[in-house]
């Protein structure tokens, strides 16, 4: 079976929901040509725009991701014993920007106050995990 | 420049654009940079100027455009709304503090040893905060106007907050 381009799939979804391109761009505040180009395979959308488009069509990717992550990272209250457990509990409960902000603050404070240079692995992971701020 | 009218904005609904603007220094800095005389709408230029990723620059430009804070003007952007007042009359006070906490911490982590920073602890009545708080606002406005007059192109950030340390949480007001 031939794999359809994403734009084509979205166009089919639009039709199935009896929504017009004009309705969608009005809600999202986009120029009309932006959606049209994407649906016809002549242009791409940024990640955040694609997520917003899907949300408008009833597919909440962020919610699905959070639900999946929650299953793997939920800490049972009874198993919290150490400071590290508390930190993990707090971090998992925050929205992405808040979590990144706290991690960035930890890293900055550590850089200023620690007698040791942060291991490069730690710096790399923190840099990757805080790439939105 | 017209101010954007905000009526009880809902900042609690996930990652809304306004939440990104209120809680992410990048969106604010790109908004500020768009006023610069040497502004280049290229996300790569913006990314280099602010030491961020191109993706973050694109995200900010698109978000600011959706918020109608900037709009396309030929091959570039122009600032439509210079500032947005987000105070206790617009959103819940607790959520306002939550958004401020993110920006304040992000800005603190930008401090280098040679930057200017300070902390003051003094005696007084809490009414002093409203009185002098408005003077700080006026000072920021003066600073902003002088920056524009002098053709400055650096993006400068500052954070200020006041809190009463004495008394119980109930006496100090709802947290």
């Amino acid at each position: 079976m031939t794999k359809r381009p994403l734009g084509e799939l979205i166009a089919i979804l639009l039709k199935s929901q009896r929504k017009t391109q004009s309705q969608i761009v009005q809600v999202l505040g986009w120029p009309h040509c932006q959606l049209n180009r994407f649906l016809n395979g002549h242009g791409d959308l940024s990640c955040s725009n694609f997520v917003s488009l899907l949300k408008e069509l009833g597919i909440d990717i962020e919610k699905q991701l959070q639900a999946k992550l929650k299953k793997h990272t939920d800490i049972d209250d009874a198993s919290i014993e150490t400071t590290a457990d508390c930190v993990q509990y707090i971090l998992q409960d925050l929205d992405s920007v808040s979590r990144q902000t706290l991690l960035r603050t930890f890293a900055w404070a550590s850089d200023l106050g620690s007698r040791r240079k942060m291991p490069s692995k730690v710096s790399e992971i923190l840099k990757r995990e805080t790439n939105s701020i | 420049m017209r101010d954007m009218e905000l009526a009880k904005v809902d900042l609690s609904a996930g990652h809304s654009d306004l939440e990104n603007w209120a809680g992410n220094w990048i969106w604010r800095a790109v908004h500020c940079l768009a006023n610069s005389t040497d502004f280049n709408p290229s996300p790569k230029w913006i990314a280099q100027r602010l030491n961020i990723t191109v993706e973050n620059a694109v995200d900010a430009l698109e978000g600011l455009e959706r918020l109608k804070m900037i709009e396309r003007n030929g091959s570039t952007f122009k600032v439509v709304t210079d500032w947005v007042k987000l105070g206790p009359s617009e959103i819940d006070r607790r959520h306002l503090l939550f958004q401020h906490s993110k920006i304040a911490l992000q800005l603190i982590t930008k401090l280098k040893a040679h930057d200017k920073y300070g902390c003051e602890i003094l005696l007084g009545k809490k009414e002093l905060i409203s009185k002098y708080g408005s003077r700080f606002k006026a000072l920021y406005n003066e600073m902003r106007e002088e920056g524009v007059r002098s053709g400055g192109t650096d993006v400068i950030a500052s954070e200020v907050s006041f809190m009463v340390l004495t008394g119980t949480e109930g006496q100090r007001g709802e947290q």
Side-chain angles (χ1 to χ4, degrees):
Chain A
M1 191 169 115
T2 318
K3 201 173 159 190
R4 290 185 206 254
L6 270 175
E8 199 177 314
L9 290 174
I10 298 292
I12 294 169
L13 190 57
L14 260 172
K15 260 195 187 152
S16 72
Q17 294 184 7
R18 298 187 201 287
K19 286 184 177 161
T20 64
Q21 290 185 38
S22 302
Q23 283 170 327
I24 298 293
V25 297
Q26 191 171 21
V27 167
L28 294 175
W30 293 358
H32 190 276
C33 55
Q34 186 175 358
L35 178 61
N36 189 264
R37 276 203 305 269
F38 173 69
L39 296 181
N40 289 311
H42 298 312
D44 284 327
L45 292 179
S46 69
C47 184
S48 57
N49 275 350
F50 187 61
V51 168
S52 299
L53 175 60
L54 285 179
K55 196 167 182 181
E56 193 49 39
L57 297 173
I59 303 171
D60 194 332
I61 293 283
E62 278 176 310
K63 220 177 200 172
Q64 290 181 27
L65 256 173
Q66 276 161 15
K68 273 224 186 287
L69 284 170
K70 212 168 158 48
K71 277 187 195 161
H72 293 288
T73 60
D74 250 358
I75 293 183
D76 176 13
D77 284 8
S79 67
I80 297 175
E81 287 180 6
T82 65
T83 310
D85 291 339
C86 292
V87 170
Q88 190 177 350
Y89 177 81
I90 290 169
L91 287 176
Q92 75 165 26
D93 210 36
L94 294 171
D95 64 85
S96 170
V97 171
S98 299
R99 189 166 50 250
Q100 291 185 50
T101 302
L102 275 184
L103 285 174
R104 179 68 65 83
T105 311
F106 288 155
W108 174 78
S110 171
D111 190 44
L112 279 176
S114 176
R115 284 188 286 266
R116 306 183 291 180
K117 189 172 159 54
M118 191 177 284
S120 55
K121 187 177 180 180
V122 175
S123 306
E124 278 158 24
I125 292 172
L126 286 178
K127 193 175 175 185
R128 195 179 61 232
E129 293 296 317
T130 60
N131 64 0
S132 292
I133 59 164
Chain B
M1 304 263 182
R2 62 173 174 83
D3 301 331
M4 194 161 89
E5 285 168 9
L6 295 170
K8 274 295 178 199
V9 290
D10 179 16
L11 285 193
S12 61
H15 296 278
S16 68
D17 285 340
L18 206 50
E19 188 162 272
N20 268 318
W21 182 85
N24 191 327
W25 75 273
I26 291 178
W27 284 42
R28 305 261 202 134
V30 171
H31 186 206
C32 176
L33 201 54
N35 265 320
S36 175
T37 50
D38 71 340
F39 178 67
N40 183 326
S42 148
K44 192 176 173 186
W45 181 88
I46 293 170
Q48 279 171 347
R49 280 299 296 275
L50 294 174
N51 197 22
I52 58 176
T53 64
V54 171
E55 192 184 30
N56 284 337
V58 169
D59 243 2
L61 283 173
E62 290 178 350
L64 290 168
E65 200 182 353
R66 282 193 301 272
L67 284 169
K68 296 179 179 27
M69 289 185 186
I70 62 175
E71 67 182 18
R72 287 177 193 270
N73 186 22
S75 59
T76 186
F77 289 94
K78 73 172 185 187
V79 175
V80 175
T81 305
D82 232 1
W83 62 279
V84 173
K85 183 189 167 201
L86 267 185
S89 56
E90 283 82 28
I91 62 172
D92 167 74
R93 286 193 90 98
R94 195 179 163 83
H95 210 90
L96 186 62
L97 177 59
F98 174 53
Q99 298 306 325
H100 176 75
S101 72
K102 288 188 266 188
I103 283 261
L105 283 174
Q106 289 163 19
L107 293 181
I108 292 267
T109 66
K110 298 289 178 195
L111 281 172
K112 301 281 186 290
H114 56 260
D115 285 326
K116 294 261 183 289
Y117 43 86
C119 158
E120 191 70 34
I121 301 184
L122 47 90
L123 284 175
K125 292 183 183 173
K126 68 176 186 193
E127 288 75 20
L128 220 58
I129 295 176
S130 306
K131 180 180 171 188
Y132 282 87
S134 51
R135 291 199 196 180
F136 272 84
K137 248 193 252 181
L139 267 177
Y140 275 143
N141 285 338
E142 266 184 54
M143 212 171 152
R144 187 181 301 113
E145 281 160 17
E146 185 170 333
V148 168
R149 266 199 316 272
S150 66
T153 55
D154 286 328
V155 176
I156 298 171
S158 169
E159 181 279 328
V160 67
S161 43
F162 300 92
M163 64 287 290
V164 176
L165 299 177
T166 43
T168 61
E169 271 189 27
Q171 288 170 334
R172 292 201 302 267
E174 193 187 328
Q175 191 182 7

